[in-house]
């Protein structure tokens, strides 16, 4: 009987390892392919088509409180956070799409049910605008029923704290690389999402985070050899501009 139990424990142990496999997050969607462009709705759809675990995108708030999806603080040299939506709405992305609103983006996300939405909230010079941005985003995610498959990431500690306060059940990851896993745990975060150089500086943070029940995401890893290193170290997620290559490695 003891032998059977031991065998069962070994088998369970093996399957647990399989489930702990690194997952792939497409950075700004899957944009490095025909017809796509970073943070476009096409990039979100294409991320869904290649079967990544999650697709990352960036959200800014305009001067008149409209949430839009774009990485840079400007589009065609027009600053997003100090312009009105009317001034921005007809500007186009590199693939011809108009600047997407968060609402359009989330609506597209509802049609890709097996993929997580990794939503980066961009910092704002005005704290009140960051707070307004967090509130607006949480309401919009709720409106589209995406609470259970949206993860939040931010460089701004203010944004992270607001998220933890207003959406205690949501998974919030801090991006800025300067806070230890123990402190992130105390702040109520789900984990860390750090640049690869930070995790190379602090390789011990991966185990520390896991011991605390936190998850580890690393960005932006496009080099195949580096992907292999982080997979071997057991990071939970790799955020990459090369999702197809990374999916091959984790298969
Ligand atoms: Mg981002």
């Amino acid at each position: 009987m003891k032998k059977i139990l031991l065998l069962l424990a070994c088998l369970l142990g093996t399957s647990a390892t399989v489930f702990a496999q690194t997952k792939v997050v497409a950075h700004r969607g899957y944009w490095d392919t025909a017809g796509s462009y970073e943070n476009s709705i096409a990039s979100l759809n294409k991320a869904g088509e290649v079967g990544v675990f999650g697709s990352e995108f960036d959200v800014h708030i305009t001067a008149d409180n409209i949430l839009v999806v774009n990485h840079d603080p400007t589009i065609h040299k027009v600053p997003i956070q100090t312009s009105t939506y009317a001034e921005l709405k007809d500007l186009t992305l590199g693939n011809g799409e108009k600047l997407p609103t968060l609402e359009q983006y989330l609506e597209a996300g509802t049609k890709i049910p097996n993929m997580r939405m990794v939503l980066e909230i961009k910092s704002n010079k005005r704290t009140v605008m960051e707070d307004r941005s967090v509130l607006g985003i949480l309401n919009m995610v709720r409106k589209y029923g995406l609470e259970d498959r949206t993860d939040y990431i931010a460089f701004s500690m203010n944004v992270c704290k607001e998220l933890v306060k207003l959406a205690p059940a949501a998974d919030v990851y801090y991006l800025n690389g300067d806070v230890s896993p123990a402190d992130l745990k105390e702040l109520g975060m789900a984990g860390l999402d750090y640049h690869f150089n930070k995790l190379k500086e602090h390789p011990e943070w991966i185990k520390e985070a896991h011991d605390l029940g936190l998850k580890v995401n690393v960005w932006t890893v496009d080099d195949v050899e580096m992907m292999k290193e982080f997979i071997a170290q057991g990071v939970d997620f790799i955020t990459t501009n090369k999702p197809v290559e990374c999916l091959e490695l984790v298969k």
Side-chain angles (χ1 to χ4, degrees):
M1 188 63 186
K2 261 186 186 167
K3 266 185 186 167
I4 292 169
L5 282 175
L6 205 68
L7 187 71
L8 208 67
C10 285
L11 284 170
L12 284 171
T14 311
S15 63
T17 313
V18 172
F19 284 118
Q21 210 174 32
T22 304
K23 296 181 174 76
V24 180
V25 175
H27 184 236
R28 305 179 196 171
Y30 180 30
W31 56 268
D32 192 9
T33 183
S36 194
Y37 193 77
E38 60 177 46
N39 277 314
S40 63
I41 288 175
S43 75
L44 181 75
N45 290 332
K46 285 174 192 290
E49 283 163 24
V50 295
V52 287
F53 175 77
S55 190
E56 187 262 359
F57 56 100
D58 307 279
V59 179
H60 289 274
I61 189 165
T62 65
D64 54 346
N65 306 321
I66 303 297
L67 299 158
V68 295
V69 179
N70 200 66
H71 177 265
D72 293 354
T74 60
I75 176 165
H76 297 289
K77 294 184 182 161
V78 182
I80 295 174
Q81 295 180 349
T82 52
S83 300
T84 62
Y85 179 61
E87 292 168 321
L88 300 163
K89 69 178 178 51
D90 294 323
L91 299 175
T92 52
L93 310 181
N95 66 341
E97 267 179 51
K98 285 190 177 159
L99 174 71
T101 61
L102 177 65
E103 179 145 33
Q104 292 162 345
Y105 214 83
L106 294 182
E107 195 187 0
T110 61
K111 293 166 195 148
I112 316 170
N114 297 322
M115 188 174 72
R116 288 192 79 81
M117 306 289 279
V118 182
L119 194 162
E120 179 175 347
I121 303 182
K122 284 298 187 188
S123 306
N124 199 297
K125 280 188 188 133
R126 295 170 59 201
T127 306
V128 289
M129 290 306 275
E130 283 193 348
D131 295 355
R132 208 172 279 174
S133 180
V134 168
L135 198 62
I137 287 166
L138 290 174
N139 284 334
M140 190 77 78
V141 166
R142 211 170 293 132
K143 179 179 170 184
Y144 284 92
L146 289 167
E147 303 100 303
D148 292 342
R149 61 180 175 94
T150 301
D151 298 319
Y152 299 93
I153 61 176
F155 282 95
S156 158
M157 184 52 86
N158 171 60
V159 165
C160 289
K161 284 182 173 175
E162 281 294 298
L163 284 164
V164 168
K165 189 173 77 187
L166 298 175
D171 283 352
V172 180
Y173 295 82
Y174 179 64
L175 291 166
N176 207 35
D178 55 353
V179 177
S180 71
D183 286 357
L184 292 176
K185 173 80 177 176
E186 202 167 316
L187 289 160
M189 312 273 176
L192 47 112
D193 187 352
Y194 285 174
H195 186 268
F196 57 76
N197 277 336
K198 285 289 167 187
L199 288 183
K200 285 185 172 198
E201 238 171 76
H202 292 282
E204 76 283 4
W205 279 357
I206 298 171
K207 188 181 180 307
E208 276 178 38
H210 287 159
D211 288 347
L212 291 160
L214 299 178
K215 295 265 166 71
V216 178
N217 193 339
V218 57
W219 56 271
T220 302
V221 183
D222 296 340
D223 177 77
V224 168
E225 289 311 310
M226 201 190 288
M227 287 174 191
K228 287 181 188 165
E229 283 168 33
F230 280 113
I231 290 165
Q233 289 180 76
V235 301
D236 301 278
F237 315 101
I238 290 178
T239 300
T240 176
N241 292 307
K242 301 279 177 201
V244 176
E245 288 85 340
C246 200
L247 281 168
E248 276 302 312
L249 293 180
V250 301
K251 252 180 201 169

